[in-house]
Amino acid sequence: MSLSKLTAENQSRMQQLYQRMGQEHLLPLWELLAGLVTPEPQSPARVYKWSFDSMRHYLLEAGGLITAEQAERRVLILENPDMPGSSAIVPSLYAGLQLVLPGEIAPSHRHSQSALRFVLEGEGAFTALNGEKAVMSQFDLVLTPSWQWHDHGNETEQHMIWLDGLDIPAVRSFDAAFAERLDEKAHKETQPPGDTLKRYGKNMRPFSGSAADTRPVHQPLFHYPYQDWMQSLRGVAEGSEIDPHLGHALEFINPATGGSVMPIISAHVRLLPAGFETKTRQSSDGSVATVVSGHGEARIGDKILKIGPRDIFTIPSWKELQLRADSELVLFIYSDKGAQEKLGLYREKCS
Ligand code: GTQ
């Protein structure tokens, strides 16, 4: 609304009113409504791409200056350039690039924020969840769900770098952030490495309620190895018709619910055969994507990004997305779709 609809006298009185009530932190909705209740999302996040080589260079330099233990977590935050001070990559989500050097331990803690790790470089380092190590390979997905103890370690000769995806900004918006540090450096080992995959990884579980039923009922799995998800995605790509808007796409699920991997964060992978171009699609979830393999182009709103291996880029809410694969393109994407679906907010539009 513009004050020009009012008489000159009322305009001037209104200005004075704003001045006085503003001192008591009261604002006129009629000036702000159009910006608050928009016909569709007007994301404050910029479409932006970080190149892996550049991030890796800075991260390794930091690795020579501070240990994982000193830092608690040695991570470079990918902050959206249009959201300075937010530590957010899109409004609800956080992204970081974490380095664990040979022999290091990032000490055990737990927090209300949920996290995923997607390995970009290295082999054999681990995340331990409640004392069970998930030994990781490149492009594995590992979860550290809300309020579960986790430490990271590396008993190999090579460093490991992974993408951290957390719901820090979403949890902050609810003012529901809690965290605790464990007194010992690392949680004591509770299960042998890989135990959960054996017990829960093949659509089975230990007899319910037995002593062998070690994982929380609501979140049994936490390791989704590359070998497994790629085999499924490859199988789908070889045997099924392709979705014109998505390419071949498989979502990681929490087997306890059939829904998103964690309450707020969803994750999925896509495969686009060489030469394939998707039709335009919009979705209301804010997304972070990384390239597992291949080269191509992402048109996101009015931006065009050239994308290649291990680049990380944003797909803000409701931006028109069109992907083109110059060679076979495999992407890993996480977003806040899990939360939006639960809250009845999620929408998509295909054209
Ligand atoms: O590894 O627990 O990038 O707590 C940010 C916060 C990683 C972690 C981050 C964290 C972690």
Side-chain angles (χ1 to χ4, degrees):
M1 211 242 22
S2 139
L3 284 189
S4 63
K5 288 182 195 154
L6 304 184
T7 62
E9 192 194 338
N10 279 357
Q11 280 181 37
S12 131
R13 285 168 140 188
M14 193 65 105
Q15 292 292 2
Q16 286 176 23
L17 175 61
Y18 290 176
Q19 171 69 32
R20 280 180 287 122
M21 68 188 213
Q23 288 169 7
E24 298 191 37
H25 313 289
L26 292 164
L27 302 171
L29 174 63
W30 54 92
E31 296 280 1
L32 301 168
L33 186 58
L36 291 176
V37 183
T38 57
E40 51 185 51
Q42 305 288 328
S43 183
R46 192 187 302 180
V47 174
Y48 193 77
K49 179 189 84 171
W50 287 262
S51 301
F52 182 72
D53 288 347
S54 182
M55 292 188 285
R56 177 184 193 276
H57 180 84
Y58 293 124
L59 186 55
L60 290 173
E61 191 174 331
L65 300 171
I66 187 168
T67 67
E69 202 176 336
Q70 287 167 334
E72 187 162 343
R73 297 292 184 267
R74 191 201 295 105
V75 176
L76 302 187
I77 298 171
L78 286 73
E79 185 180 70
N80 194 286
D82 285 350
M83 304 176 66
S86 66
S87 298
I89 184 160
V90 292
S92 60
L93 297 174
Y94 161 103
L97 208 65
Q98 179 157 186
L99 169 67
V100 186
L101 291 169
E104 284 193 321
I105 290 183
S108 193
H109 69 193
R110 61 179 178 177
H111 37 70
S112 45
Q113 295 87 351
S114 299
L116 62 77
R117 331 281 167 187
F118 189 73
V119 179
L120 294 179
E121 180 174 337
E123 173 72 41
F126 67 84
T127 286
L129 190 70
N130 289 339
E132 180 190 332
K133 289 174 185 167
V135 178
M136 298 185 275
S137 297
Q138 197 182 31
F139 306 131
D140 281 8
L141 171 66
V142 171
L143 311 179
T144 62
S146 178
W147 213 244
Q148 298 194 21
W149 293 107
H150 53 284
D151 47 83
H152 311 298
N154 187 348
E155 292 157 353
T156 75
E157 300 296 309
Q158 47 173 317
H159 66 247
M160 182 173 269
I161 296 176
W162 63 70
L163 169 63
D164 280 326
L166 286 90
D167 51 15
I168 290 173
V171 172
R172 183 170 59 202
S173 76
F174 288 114
D175 237 348
F178 296 89
E180 248 176 28
R181 293 190 62 172
L182 194 64
D183 284 340
E184 312 112 79
K185 215 156 77 166
H187 199 288
K188 70 171 184 349
E189 185 154 278
T190 52
Q191 310 291 338
D195 193 62
T196 287
L197 269 183
K198 285 192 209 127
R199 292 179 199 230
Y200 301 87
K202 291 277 190 266
N203 290 316
M204 300 182 85
R205 61 179 297 156
F207 195 76
S208 173
S210 69
D213 194 8
T214 48
R215 293 283 306 150
V217 170
H218 65 283
Q219 189 87 57
L221 272 192
F222 61 94
H223 190 180
Y224 300 73
Y226 169 63
Q227 240 190 308
D228 294 349
W229 67 254
M230 193 61 213
Q231 189 183 6
S232 296
L233 188 61
R234 172 76 54 211
V236 166
E238 281 167 3
S240 329
E241 227 170 273
I242 194 160
D243 182 298
H245 293 91
L246 294 169
H248 298 290
L250 286 178
E251 184 170 351
F252 296 96
I253 60 164
N254 174 358
T257 62
S260 56
V261 276
M262 292 181 291
I264 292 177
I265 301 180
S266 294
H268 74 277
V269 283
R270 294 194 196 185
L271 186 153
L272 277 63
F276 185 78
E277 185 170 23
T278 66
K279 292 189 173 161
T280 300
R281 177 174 176 273
Q282 292 160 271
S283 60
S284 61
D285 54 340
S287 299
V288 180
T290 188
V291 179
V292 170
S293 56
H295 291 268
E297 202 174 84
R299 188 181 63 77
I300 307 167
D302 56 10
K303 291 261 178 58
I304 293 178
L305 304 177
K306 287 265 170 222
I307 53 174
R310 299 184 288 187
D311 286 346
I312 297 172
F313 59 99
T314 58
I315 310 166
S317 170
W318 217 241
K319 296 287 182 205
E320 292 189 332
L321 172 66
Q322 198 175 12
L323 291 165
R324 193 190 74 213
D326 294 332
S327 54
E328 182 187 83
L329 188 64
V330 177
L331 300 176
F332 169 82
I333 301 176
Y334 69 97
S335 84
D336 58 11
K337 183 167 177 261
Q340 291 202 16
E341 282 179 336
K342 286 176 191 69
L343 298 172
L345 297 171
Y346 181 71
R347 290 201 199 188
E348 54 188 49
K349 182 173 155 189
C350 292
S351 27

